[in-house]
Amino acid sequence: MSTLVEIRDLLVHRAGRPVLEIVHLNIERGRVLALVGPNGAGKSTLLLVLARLIKPERGDILLNGKPVTGLRDREYRCRIGLVMQDPLLLDMSVYENIAIGLRFRHVPGPESVRRVEAWAECLGIQHLKTRKAATLSGGEAQRVALARAFVLQPELLLLDEPFGALDKKTRTELLRDLKALLPTTGATTLFSTHDDREVNALADSKIELADGKIQYESSV
Amino acid sequence: MLFNNPDVLEITLLSIKVSGLATLISLLIGLPFGTLLGLRKFPGRSLLLTLVNTGMALPPVVVGLAVAMTLWRSGPLGGLHLIYTPTAIIIAQVIIAAPVVTGLTAAALQALDPRLRLQLLGLGASRLQMVLSIWREARLPLLAALMAGFGSVISEVGASMMVGGNIRHQTRVLTTAIVLETNKGEFASAIALGILLLLITFLINFALTWIQQRGSKR
């Protein structure tokens, strides 16, 4: 299996102190990698660095063997999908929310419609398309956030505690659906979590982070 | 009787033109500057926010004094011959309204979840697309900023009087006309002009509120 992302000698500072130090990490193409560890371990920071939303002090990130510094921020971000713990939907319809990343990337109308329809159906939110985002329940909103990322067909999918804000029942349902859907996306996926059930259900391997450093990496 | 007076129509139209233009220019300055202050963190940002917030409470008469001294024949910009022109009033009103629009824009954007900006960029938005999406998200408080900016200049009298001079057919606006009529003891005319000013303010704010509330129902 080939490497999609390689991280070398990465150091991230926040407020003058190191919050993430990764000597070396390979992320294999098509794999699902769970990031576990306590709050403040550096899980979200790693995801935001991989989204190029936080600039590291030093270190290299290689995508398909090439340094990402060769790509402009937006060019790089158009190859990833990002879902945060809170859905962060915009004050517009569900359909418009799902399609917004496609609009940013100037994906033509018919293709955009096809992708939105397909993923809305896969995530069971087809019937909500005309609803305003503000009227959705937490679980529905997170499904919209996932659809918004999936329609982009990202090479690298970054999920920051995607179930963290959901109640137990909603979390179980969404976990079941995501387990079935993730392999169909073909995306290399990194997700952060505190829950072993999520790791066991979704991940091929996991990394334990503590104090911004990798403690161990293991298969699931 | 007052409303058949061609002077009243002229004064009313000049008031709307001057304050409308001043509000528009303030929006062009305040929206980008307020966005910068609301979204970006940089050294000196707190100081700039404090200055802008102080500017929101600038007494119009002090603004009028500063602009009059600048545009006065012997002042640094006296050569432009702008004193006692509608342009001078617009300049003074921009100085009054721009901090209002800037400060309220910054506050509106600071009230949004800071992660929203990261999420939009993470979805592949360009800087411009991100800012436009953020403006759309904050459209209700941004329209309120616009209304507050317009309200601060359509109703001010000190600056308009000092830099415009209340010259008939040239720089007389509704507020300065009200002062003149009151000084002459023509209270009926002053009251009628006051009602007209309130009516215009109401109609413009009604239109903006309608746009604002239509946006909130979408």
Side-chain angles (χ1 to χ4, degrees):
Chain A
M1 195 168 274
S2 62
T3 299
L4 178 73
V5 178
E6 186 180 351
I7 297 173
R8 292 178 189 160
D9 193 26
L10 185 77
L11 175 66
V12 181
H13 273 178
R14 190 170 285 177
R17 67 178 192 91
V19 290
L20 187 66
E21 288 179 83
I22 294 180
V23 179
H24 189 254
L25 175 65
N26 267 350
I27 303 168
E28 303 295 332
R29 188 185 304 278
R31 304 277 284 180
V32 179
L33 179 63
L35 302 173
V36 298
N39 287 338
K43 305 186 297 294
S44 297
T45 304
L46 175 56
L47 293 173
L48 292 176
V49 168
L50 283 170
R52 272 175 88 167
L53 292 166
I54 291 180
K55 299 236 181 286
E57 299 304 306
R58 65 156 198 261
D60 298 311
I61 298 172
L62 287 79
L63 184 71
N64 293 315
K66 292 178 186 161
V68 295
T69 45
L71 297 170
R72 287 181 302 155
D73 282 346
R74 187 172 176 231
E75 203 179 340
Y76 171 79
R77 290 192 200 116
C78 283
R79 297 168 73 165
I80 66 155
L82 174 67
V83 178
M84 294 191 174
Q85 183 174 349
D86 290 313
L88 298 170
L89 301 180
L90 295 170
D91 183 21
M92 47 176 67
S93 74
V94 164
Y95 185 97
E96 289 170 305
N97 265 288
I98 300 174
I100 194 160
L102 297 167
R103 195 155 59 80
F104 289 153
R105 296 163 196 224
H106 305 295
V107 172
E111 174 62 10
S112 173
V113 170
R114 189 189 65 74
R115 289 197 210 174
V116 173
E117 296 283 349
W119 278 106
E121 192 172 338
C122 286
L123 281 153
I125 48 175
Q126 183 86 348
H127 61 292
L128 302 174
K129 281 188 307 183
T130 54
R131 284 258 298 271
K132 278 197 77 170
T135 66
L136 301 178
S137 68
E140 288 169 340
Q142 198 61 338
R143 283 174 184 269
V144 174
L146 286 165
R148 182 175 62 181
F150 287 149
V151 295
L152 304 173
Q153 300 178 347
E155 278 180 82
L156 181 62
L157 182 61
L158 306 167
L159 310 175
D160 190 5
E161 297 192 33
F163 311 101
L166 304 178
D167 62 54
K168 195 175 169 188
K169 180 173 173 288
T170 311
R171 181 186 298 212
T172 306
E173 288 169 1
L174 189 53
L175 187 60
R176 182 195 62 213
D177 290 354
L178 202 56
K179 185 180 178 182
L181 288 173
L182 263 187
T184 68
T185 67
T188 305
T189 306
L190 263 80
F191 74 97
S192 61
T193 180
H194 291 283
D195 190 337
D196 284 341
R197 283 178 311 156
E198 292 170 18
V199 176
N200 293 328
L202 300 177
D204 301 309
S205 56
K206 71 172 178 180
I207 287 178
E208 167 105 22
L209 285 164
D211 297 326
K213 292 176 182 155
I214 294 178
Q215 303 301 303
Y216 67 85
E217 188 175 355
S218 64
S219 296
V220 174
Chain B
M1 192 174 74
L2 184 77
F3 296 103
N4 291 330
N5 185 340
D7 274 14
V8 172
L9 180 66
E10 183 187 86
I11 291 168
T12 305
L13 290 178
L14 185 65
S15 292
I16 294 171
K17 185 180 154 189
V18 163
S19 295
L21 267 172
T23 307
L24 183 67
I25 295 167
S26 300
L27 189 67
L28 293 175
I29 296 167
L31 194 57
F33 191 42
T35 301
L36 185 74
L37 289 174
L39 296 184
R40 293 292 289 266
K41 287 186 176 157
F42 52 86
R45 173 174 173 256
S46 292
L47 177 66
L48 279 174
L49 273 170
T50 307
L51 289 174
V52 167
N53 289 336
T54 307
M56 287 170 75
L58 269 182
V61 72
V62 174
V63 174
L65 175 65
V67 174
M69 285 168 67
T70 308
L71 299 181
W72 203 257
R73 245 169 280 147
S74 55
L77 298 180
L80 297 174
H81 305 294
L82 290 176
I83 192 76
Y84 301 144
T85 65
T87 306
I89 305 178
I90 292 172
I91 291 169
Q93 291 195 349
V94 166
I95 294 170
I96 294 164
V100 174
V101 178
T102 305
L104 294 179
T105 297
L109 301 189
Q110 282 179 309
L112 293 175
D113 189 327
R115 295 171 303 164
L116 182 61
R117 193 162 59 94
L118 296 178
Q119 179 67 78
L120 290 166
L121 292 171
L123 287 165
S126 65
R127 293 264 160 205
L128 180 63
Q129 286 170 330
M130 183 270 289
V131 168
L132 291 176
S133 299
I134 293 274
W135 282 351
R136 187 190 182 283
E137 205 60 13
R139 61 194 178 279
L140 301 186
L142 290 183
L143 268 166
L146 182 66
M147 284 188 265
F150 180 74
S152 69
V153 290
I154 191 73
S155 58
E156 72 80 25
V157 62
S160 298
M161 188 69 93
M162 291 174 85
V163 303
N166 194 24
I167 303 167
R168 193 180 175 204
H169 300 311
Q170 288 183 42
T171 58
R172 183 163 299 165
V173 291
L174 279 167
T175 50
T176 57
I178 291 169
V179 172
L180 180 70
E181 294 301 316
T182 307
N183 287 344
K184 283 168 27 187
E186 300 283 350
F187 293 112
S189 297
I191 290 168
L193 287 168
I195 290 170
L196 188 57
L197 178 61
L198 280 173
L199 189 67
I200 290 165
T201 311
F202 172 76
L203 286 175
I204 290 173
N205 279 299
F206 179 80
L208 288 170
T209 307
W210 182 77
I211 293 167
Q212 186 191 46
Q213 294 309 310
R214 195 183 59 142
S216 75
K217 284 176 192 155
R218 272 201 305 190

